[in-house]
Amino acid sequence: MCGIVGLFLKDKSLEPQLGALLSEMLVTMTDRGPDSAGIAIYNAAAGNRGKITIQSPAAEADFAGLDKELGEKIGESVKMLAKSTHAVLDVPAAKLQEAREAVLELRPNVRIMGIGEAIEIYKEVGLPEDVADRFGLSGMSGTHAIGHTRMATESAVTTLGAHPFSTGPDQCLVHNGSLSNHSNVRRELIKKGMKFETENDTEVAAAYISSKMADGLNLGEALESSLNDLDGFFNFVVGTKNGFGVVRDPIACKPAVMAETDQYVAFGSEYRALANLPGIEQARVWEPEPSTVYFWEH
């Protein structure tokens, strides 16, 4: 079943409240996805700095001294902020890919959750409220964020199987639905050099969008393309460094609702996820149309 929430802020004064607002939205979707939960949160890019979000089931051992070792490996200053099973490594933007490869060499058991100038990704098995509390979501600030609560139907309940999936710099995708042709699409993407860590069809959707954008399409065009190439039923909510996009399949059988004010754009699988947002009484509220792409950008 799964639940999706998303919040794109237009009003910078709300940025310190982003995590708190998203946390409440996420928890309301618990009964749609009690198995695992995750969030992607975006901050304004620093320009010359980048972030690598990592995860380890043996965090205490894997994170110990990693910032110093990584700094020595890439010849640059590295900072690390650990949060439970995850940590965010702050490195020079020009060294992001080199640092990513070095992390995997130094700590083979560590998983890369996301990489980019603005994105941080946190996801784990457990109830959404517990996951949000574990990573201190309510205290986070940012410009936009996406969250997901998962009820597994086609693959195992694992940290890697939780959403969001990130397959490109500062990109992520969450999904409610099921793709019928994901195996064929996966094979074509592997031929193009894409790598996969799970059997989850959502990872295929994320990789499809990343591949199309790497080919030169913008997010809106990539989402339009997905309507022709991905079979099944789906709601996708996608984040980029500056943007926030939504698309529903032509059948549109999965629930979705959106709201927009002068302060924000919000998405929820159900209206109750939006009910406590500031100014919701005056918002324009609508159900996204089938086969229609919605996109906002800072």
Side-chain angles (χ1 to χ4, degrees), residues 122-278:
Y122 303 91
K123 57 184 187 177
E124 271 296 357
V125 172
L127 291 170
E129 184 174 13
D130 294 339
V131 173
D133 289 345
R134 185 173 196 168
F135 298 115
L137 174 58
S138 62
M140 295 183 189
S141 62
T143 56
H144 53 298
I146 295 167
H148 187 272
T149 66
R150 184 173 184 232
M151 182 177 289
T153 57
E154 294 187 5
S155 56
V157 178
T158 64
T159 300
L160 286 180
H163 303 206
F165 282 91
S166 181
T167 53
D170 283 311
Q171 294 174 20
C172 74
L173 179 146
V174 296
H175 169 213
N176 181 23
S178 180
L179 302 180
S180 58
N181 67 333
H182 62 92
S183 295
N184 291 337
V185 175
R186 183 192 303 268
R187 282 193 291 270
E188 292 303 313
L189 291 171
I190 289 173
K191 291 178 184 177
K192 294 184 67 174
M194 300 296 289
K195 297 180 180 179
F196 295 88
E197 293 190 284
T198 75
E199 296 300 316
N200 195 302
D201 59 344
T202 305
E203 187 179 14
V204 174
Y208 173 88
I209 298 297
S210 296
S211 177
K212 288 296 181 181
M213 294 183 71
D215 289 341
L217 274 61
N218 63 32
L219 176 57
E221 293 167 337
L223 290 173
E224 288 278 3
S225 182
S226 74
L227 292 168
N228 297 319
D229 294 339
L230 300 181
D231 295 333
F233 47 95
F234 53 83
N235 292 335
F236 294 149
V237 179
V238 181
T240 66
K241 181 166 67 174
N242 300 314
F244 175 85
V246 173
V247 69
R248 298 178 84 188
D249 69 88
I251 301 171
C253 64
K254 289 298 183 181
V257 62
M258 300 195 71
E260 184 171 15
T261 72
D262 291 338
Q263 292 185 297
Y264 58 80
V265 179
F267 178 97
S269 292
E270 299 177 32
Y271 177 78
R272 58 194 168 110
L274 315 180
N276 291 325
L277 289 173

Side-chain angles (χ1 to χ4, degrees), residues 1 24 26 37 54 88 212 240 295:
M1 188 161 61
E24 184 172 3
L26 190 75
I54 61 175
V88 178
K212 288 296 181 181
T240 66
F295 180 60

